């Protein structure tokens, strides 16, 4: 089931989204907001799968807000203005609902989002990947290409095999929740490593290629238990 929030400065519009969501089994509306500030703060702590987002809002437009969200989420734009359609699709929006929209049209948008969600979470290990927000777009990153993840304040630097690193705005916990505990393990407050890419571990240092990653004392016991069990 998709976990969703809705943001619109008009409460009646939020009521419509809530009513329509209650009629569907594959989406749960967990929170609604009439302003972008509280919504952004919520997403910092509680990532969701889908955002219903009005475009024309007073403090910050929906288009501007979408560029600022801390972790990747699908978006369905809801608006009374058709002129934003092209820009919304340039941001990889799942759909664009022009108010007033019918339940049938709403259901169609949810079905598109659910299919995209299923595709993103397919279990085939050969095709497994995650979607990461880089700048103003989404980048599909194959998990098998990830060497290690480095924490940089409010950003993460994802080091990849024979590719330029990706810099994304999200927390270590947000990304760790998306990764398999068997495949990726935290070795330091600032590092997560791919178990498959480790070459050796010596003197509290994890070696991946030419990179030397410190093994933090608070993570050492758990890491060595998993590493030695392989």
């Amino acid at each position: 089931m998709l976990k969703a929030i809705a943001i619109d400065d008009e409460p009646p519009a939020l009521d419509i989204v809530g009513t329509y969501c209650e009629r569907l089994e594959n989406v749960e509306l967990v929170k609604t907001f009439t302003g972008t500030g509280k919504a952004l703060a919520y997403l910092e702590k509680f990532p969701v799968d889908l955002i219903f987002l009005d475009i024309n809002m007073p403090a910050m437009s929906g288009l501007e807000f979408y560029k600022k969200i801390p972790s990747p989420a699908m978006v369905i734009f809801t608006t009374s203005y058709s002129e934003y359609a092209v820009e919304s699709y340039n941001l990889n929006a799942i759909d664009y609902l022009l108010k007033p929209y019918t339940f049938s049209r709403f259901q169609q948008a949810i079905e598109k989002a659910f299919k995209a969600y299923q595709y993103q979470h397919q279990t085939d290990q050969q095709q497994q990947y995650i979607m990461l927000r880089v700048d103003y777009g989404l980048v599909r990153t194959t998990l098998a290409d990830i060497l290690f993840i480095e924490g940089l304040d409010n950003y993460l630097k994802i080091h990849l095999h024979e590719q330029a690193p990706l810099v994304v705005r999200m927390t270590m916990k947000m990304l760790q929740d998306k990764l398999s505990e068997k495949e990726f393990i935290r070795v330091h407050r600032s590092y997560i490593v791919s178990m498959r890419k480790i070459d050796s571990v010596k003197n509290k240092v994890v070696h991946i290629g030419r990179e030397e990653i410190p093994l933090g004392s608070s993570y050492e016991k758990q890491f060595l238990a998993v590493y030695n069990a392989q």
Side-chain angles (χ1 to χ4, degrees):
M1 177 181 288
L2 299 172
K3 286 189 176 181
I5 64 169
I7 308 167
D8 199 305
D9 61 330
E10 299 179 354
L14 294 175
D15 291 339
I16 291 173
V17 174
T19 299
Y20 284 175
C21 283
E22 287 178 356
R23 296 172 62 181
L24 299 172
E25 296 181 352
N26 53 358
V27 61
E28 178 188 9
L29 187 65
V30 296
K31 200 82 173 176
T32 61
F33 301 90
T34 55
T36 53
K38 290 184 178 180
L40 196 59
Y42 179 86
L43 291 172
E44 292 278 359
K45 295 182 178 180
F46 307 104
V48 296
D49 304 308
L50 177 65
I51 301 173
F52 298 99
L53 184 57
D54 184 23
I55 291 180
N56 192 26
M57 290 185 289
M60 179 190 303
S61 76
L63 298 173
E64 293 173 324
F65 175 85
Y66 184 54
K67 296 173 183 178
K68 293 179 178 292
I69 60 175
S71 61
M74 296 178 289
V75 66
I76 295 175
F77 284 112
T78 60
T79 182
S80 301
Y81 304 92
S82 60
E83 60 264 30
Y84 296 110
V86 173
E87 188 172 357
S88 72
Y89 285 116
N90 287 339
L91 293 175
N92 295 315
I94 288 293
D95 211 335
Y96 184 95
L97 296 177
L98 191 61
K99 299 175 183 177
Y101 47 84
T102 63
F103 172 71
S104 175
R105 181 66 183 87
F106 182 87
Q107 185 176 26
Q108 181 184 14
I110 294 300
E111 288 174 355
K112 288 172 65 176
F114 192 66
K115 286 180 180 179
Y117 175 83
Q118 289 179 313
Y119 184 67
Q120 290 174 15
H121 292 78
Q122 58 186 313
T123 57
D124 184 354
Q125 189 67 28
Q126 295 293 327
Q127 300 296 323
Q128 198 171 19
Y129 66 89
I130 54 176
M131 300 299 290
L132 297 171
R133 180 173 299 288
V134 179
D135 295 328
Y136 297 146
L138 295 177
V139 175
R140 188 173 74 170
T141 304
T142 303
L143 295 180
D145 289 337
I146 297 176
L147 301 176
F148 64 95
I149 297 113
E150 179 182 4
L152 305 169
D153 295 326
N154 293 325
Y155 293 83
L156 300 179
K157 188 175 184 180
I158 300 175
H159 297 262
L160 303 170
H161 177 65
E162 295 183 348
Q163 300 175 54
L166 297 177
V167 177
V168 299
R169 186 175 181 271
M170 64 192 306
T171 65
M172 293 286 277
K173 186 180 184 306
M174 284 179 181
L175 184 56
Q176 197 169 14
D177 288 345
K178 296 177 177 292
L179 300 173
S180 166
E181 294 180 358
K182 296 180 180 179
E183 299 292 329
F184 295 88
I185 190 166
R186 197 160 180 174
V187 298
H188 186 275
R189 63 184 181 85
S190 299
Y191 290 96
I192 297 171
V193 302
S194 168
M195 296 297 292
R196 294 185 179 188
K197 300 298 190 297
I198 296 174
D199 294 315
S200 64
V201 181
K202 299 177 182 177
N203 300 323
K204 292 192 175 184
V205 175
V206 178
H207 297 264
I208 298 180
R210 296 182 180 180
E211 300 290 340
E212 297 184 351
I213 300 163
L215 177 56
S217 299
S218 58
Y219 300 91
E220 183 178 9
K221 183 178 180 180
Q222 181 182 0
F223 166 75
L224 291 177
V226 176
Y227 181 72
N228 291 329
Q230 289 189 326

